[in-house]
Amino acid sequence: MGNPEDAEVYVLRLGHRPERDKRITTHVALVARAFGAHGFVLADVCDEHVMESIGKVLERWGGKMYLECGVPGRRYVREWKRRGGIAVHLTMYGLHVDDVIDEIRETAKPKLVIVGAEKVPRFFYEEADYNVAIGHQPHSEVAALAIFLDRLYMGMELHLSFPDAKVVVEPSARGKKVVKRG
Ligand code: SAM
């Protein structure tokens, strides 16, 4: 339990506005990868800048995350559930993460973690199996996703390594050490 390999976890990013959200959406995707998600899906639009950025990180730092963009968000959620997965929408208005995370972790079903940008349409609150609050204060989709995945995996995701990485960090007390592989 709590191992990132246990069940598929995908992240669905809603409401991306290419003219202003490139950086933060890229960070959502980077957190998804680094914190153990298996897929990143950008709903409703394709932003080549975002998809290329995450693609380059996967290429260099490793990982096999599934990437998709431009799929209608509502249809994606319905289809995910129809195929037997659960949808977890992160929102400050939801139930406190501490009260639901064990139940979410214990289901073996694939999990779709939904994060928004601006106003999230009512549909997603209603369609979600869980509306989960990472505390009840407004903050950020990047922080919310990181903390949710960390709670889901109980910290184990911070020890993930990617066997196909071309470069890895060699931890050092000072300075920056990166070692090439293969
Ligand atoms: N007011 C917006 C709304 O109607 O949902 C929130 C916008 S917030 C900048 C962007 C996203 O960050 C939200 O859609 C949600 O996924 C996530 N988020 C922000 N604060 C959160 C919290 N306390 N708990 C869970 N998710 C949060």
Side-chain angles (χ1 to χ4, degrees), residues 89-93 114-120 125 132-141 144:
H89 170 222
L90 301 185
T91 164
M92 62 187 278
Y93 306 106
I114 305 166
V115 295
E118 277 247 300
K119 198 168 161 46
V120 173
Y125 290 80
V132 178
I134 308 298
H136 299 291
Q137 302 300 322
H139 45 80
S140 133
E141 48 273 51

Side-chain angles (χ1 to χ4, degrees), residues 150-167:
D150 186 65
R151 297 288 174 92
L152 182 70
Y153 295 138
M154 300 189 290
M156 286 169 61
E157 82 291 350
L158 296 185
H159 300 278
L160 273 176
S161 61
F162 299 96
D164 60 334
K166 291 189 175 140
V167 291

Side-chain angles (χ1 to χ4, degrees), residues 17 26 33 47 66 79 83 89 98 137 144 147 164 172:
R17 297 154 295 181
T26 301
R33 172 193 165 274
D47 185 326
Y66 173 84
E79 187 61 14
R83 292 188 186 173
H89 170 222
D98 285 350
Q137 302 300 322
I147 290 175
D164 60 334
S172 63

